[in-house]
Amino acid sequence: MGPIEERIVKKIEQAFAPERLAVINESEHHAGHAHGPTSETGETHFRVRLVSPAFAGMSRVERHRALNTLLAAEIADGVHALALEPAAPGESVRW
């Protein structure tokens, strides 16, 4: 686990207390998309899958906004893409 991935995991755990969390570094599948300082660590593309009670009653857009706001520093530091898959407990997920 690289330093950016560790930051993402820590922030999500603290902010959303997820029941399930998977942060997947997909950067290796996006060769040539290096942007910003995180490209040196190979951490530019992530998939974030989480189930959290904090998302109950929130729309999909609200969930994405909350995660993007939380991870704004990582995006500013060069994370090029975040595939977000947030869910509330009891909702079906494809993973």
Side-chain angles (χ1 to χ4, degrees):
M1 182 180 299
I4 302 300
E5 185 176 349
E6 286 179 11
R7 282 173 41 193
I8 291 171
V9 168
K10 183 177 179 179
K11 283 185 168 186
I12 291 173
E13 287 176 343
Q14 291 175 345
F16 295 106
E19 292 180 1
R20 289 173 48 193
L21 174 61
V23 177
I24 304 155
N25 185 343
E26 297 182 336
S27 302
E28 64 187 35
H29 304 295
H30 300 275
H33 288 214
H35 297 280
T38 61
S39 62
E40 295 173 12
T41 65
E43 296 180 284
T44 57
H45 292 68
F46 290 93
R47 179 168 304 276
V48 178
R49 295 174 168 162
L50 72 147
V51 176
S52 172
F55 295 133
M58 292 175 74
S59 71
R60 182 176 175 207
V61 171
E62 291 170 325
R63 294 171 185 186
H64 282 243
R65 283 184 182 150
L67 284 163
N68 280 312
T69 298
L70 178 70
L71 302 174
E74 288 69 29
I75 295 167
D77 285 346
V79 169
H80 179 64
L82 285 171
L84 303 173
E85 300 178 30
E91 294 178 347
S92 63
V93 294
R94 294 180 287 162
W95 39 273

